[in-house]
Amino acid sequence: MVTSHTTPPRVYINESVSVLLPLPLTGPYDYFVPPNLAVSVGDFVSIPLGRREMKGVVWGNGKGELERKKLRNINGLLDIPRMSSDLRLLIEWTASYTLSPLGAVLRMSMSVPSALESPRKRIGFLPSENLNNGQTDSRISLTNARSRVLSVLKDGCPRIAAALGREAGVNSSVIRKMSDIGLLRKITIEEKLNMDPIDESLKGPVFSDLQTNAASILVKRVKRSNESNNKNGFSVTLLDGVTGSGKTEVYFESIAATLAAGFQVLVLVPEIALTVQWLQRFQERFGARPLEWHSDLTGLERRLTWRAVISDEARVLVGARSALFLPFRSLGLIVVDEEHDGSFKQEDGVSYNARDMAVVRARVGDFPIVLSSATPSLETFTNVQLGRYKRVVLSKRFGGAILPEIHTIDMRLEQMTGHTWLSPDLKRAMKKTLNDGEQVMLFLNRRGYAPLTLCRQCGHRFKCPNCTSWLVEHKFQHKLCCHHCGYSMIVPTNCPECGATSDSLASCGPGVERVAEEVAEYFPESKYEIMASDTMQSLKASKKLVQRVQAREVDILIGTQVMAKGHHFPNLTLVGVVDADLGLSGGDLRAAERTFQLLYQLSGRAGRAQRSGKALLQTFQPDDPVIQALISGERDKFLALEASARKRHGMPPFGRLVAIIVSGKDYKRVENVARSLGRASPSGTGLIVHGPAAAPLAVLRGRHRFRLLLRADRDVNVQQKVRFWLSRVQIPNGVHVNVDVDPYRFL
Ligand SMILES: [Zn+2]
Ligand SMILES: [Zn+2]
C-alpha cells in the first residue's frame, strides 16, 4: 500500500544524510554515516547535538551545506522499525499547511522519548516457594503488613516493589526485608501490554437492510484499496446517520475487512473519556479491547503502546486527536467518529485539525478513511456536495426506534419566579416522565453554579486576575474559578471593594450546579447526578456514572456538552435544554452550526430503544433559523442555508482564514508587534486582513493578546502569503506570534 513496503529503500553508507530532530527547528541537519553503519530514510538514529546526544529520524539526502570535515558522525542506529513513508509525508504536509517548524510536528510523532529505548527489564516479586509448601522458618513472624503483601500476591501475578507496596499499603522497606529473609523471591519481569487477540472473524450483530447495504459499500472500498497496487486505494466516505442508526456497527465491518487484509486501523474519537460504551461494543464485536491513546495513560502504557504501534503488534487503536501522529507501520484505514466535533482541532503548539490531517494521512498512504457523524460539519457536507467525498446514508434509527419530537418553550411567555431556570412547562414534562418511570436529561453548557458573582452594594464583579474573564462560582467546592486559566479563590466573606457582607454578594445566572439545586427542590424524591468535564475527569469516573444511569440508579442527569456524545441510555425519554440560545450569542463563524449540532445530538439522546423521546428547548428566540431548523428536523436544509450564508461572505469552507495571535507579558511590546504586522500585512485581490485589534480575551494567563485575521479566496495560497508576511516583521524576545490556519476559536 505504501511504496516503502514494496520498493527497497536507498541505503546510505559512508556519505552524508539529513536527520530531522524533534525540536522546533525548521528543517533537518546533515550528519555523516560512518563506514560501520548503514541507514535508510525513516530510520531512528542517535546523533550528537552540541554536547548532548539526541534521537532523530533520517530524513533524506544530505543537503551539502557543510563540508565533510565539519560534519559529525551519526552515533548509532536505534533498534526500532523504520518510520513509514506515509507518516513522514504527513509530517511534512502538516508543517507546511500549518506553518509550523518541521521538527515541532515530528515531535508529535516522537511524543514518548522513552519509547525509543529498549524495553527495560524490571525486578518483580512473588511469594517464595518455601512459603507455598508451608516450609517457612518458624522464627519469621508474619506481621500484618507482611500478610497484606502476601495476600496481594495470591493472584500469582508478580509485581514491582512500588506497585506491590501501593496495593498492600506498606512501604518498600517491608518488601525489601521480606525478600532478604526469604518470604519473597525476585523474578525478572518484562514490560508488556495486556493485549488480548482481536478476532475480526467473530460474527457481528444482525443488520437492518440499510446497515447491510452501507457496510457492504464500506467493505468494498477497503477491499479495493487492498487489492490495488496501482494507487487508487484512497477514498473519503461520510457515514451519515442519525443518532441510534447503528453507524458504529457498520464501520466495524470495514475495520474487520482491513484487519483481515493484515493492516492496522486507527479510530479517532473526540474525547476518549467518553467512549466507555464504544469500548463495550467493540469488545462484543471483536472479542477484545483495542489499544487506547489518551491523557489517562500511565508513562509505561504510553511507552508500550507507542512501541506496539510501530512494531505492528497493535492492530486497532482508538484515540484522541494526537493518536493521528503515532508511528503506525502498516495503517490501512482511519475512522473519524463524530467528525464534526470541535475537539479535533488543536490550538496549542502546532495548530492543526486532526480530522483534516487524517484525510491527508489516508491520501498519502493511499487507503480509505471513513468520517462518521449524525451532524456532519459544513466542511464535510460541502465536500460531499462537490463530489470530493462519497456519502453513505443510514437514515432510519436501528431497531425501529423513533426520532424524538422537538418542541420549543417560549420563555417570553412562561411565568418565571426569581432565580428559577426551569419553566413550568418543562417541569410538568419532567414530572410526567419521572412518574412513568423514565429518565430525564437537563442540558446547560455551563459548568459550576453561577457564571458571575457581583456585589449588590457597589457593583463589584469578581474577575480573574490573569484573564479578561469573570470568575465562575463552584458552590460545592466553595470557590470562584477561572475557566480559562484555572485560577481559583475561596468565596470571600466580604466584598473586596466596599466590605459589604457576603449576603450582598449575588450569584448571577445559572450553571449546572444551580440547575441541580432547583431540581433537588422540585423533585426531592428523584436522584440526580451532574455530568460535566470537571466532575468526570477520569475514564473511571465517567464509566461509573454511565453505568449508574444505565442501571437506572439516576433519574435526572444534569450536564454540559460532555453528555451529548456517544452515550446510549435506552430509558431516557426527555431532554430539556435549559438555555437553547446560549450558543447562538457566541457570535463566531460556527456559532449557529455548533449550536445546531449540539442540540440535534442532544435531542437524539431521547428515546433510543423502543420508546419515543421528546426534546424541549427553552428559548427567548423561537423564530431564530437555527431553532426553526431543529424543530423541523430538516438538517440538510439548515446546512444548505448555512452554506449559502458562508459563501456570500467568502467564509470557510468557501474561503480561507488564518488567525495571527500576538501575545506577551509586556503590553507595549505586544501592541508594537501587532501594529508592525498590521502595517506589513499582505494585500492583493481576493485577500483582506482585519486588525490588529485587542483580542476579546485581551489578557489570558497574564499575557496580553492582539489578533489579526486574514481572509482569502480559496484559490489564494495563504501559506505562502503568511510566510512572506511574517518574515518582514522582527519579533522581539518576550513576544510570541502564533499562526492558526483554519481557526475555530476567535477569542
Ligand atoms: Zn461591594
Ligand atoms: Zn484566568
Side-chain angles (χ1 to χ4, degrees), residues 16 30-32 63-73:
S16 75
D30 278 6
Y31 283 88
F32 194 78
K63 292 174 294 180
E65 284 159 0
L66 283 180
E67 47 187 305
R68 165 69 189 99
K69 60 181 181 197
K70 285 193 180 156
L71 280 183
R72 299 178 75 179
N73 280 356

Side-chain angles (χ1 to χ4, degrees), residues 380-393:
T380 298
F381 183 76
T382 305
N383 278 322
V384 169
Q385 303 270 298
L386 295 174
R388 290 193 201 116
Y389 294 0
K390 302 199 168 54
R391 166 152 88 158
V392 174
V393 181

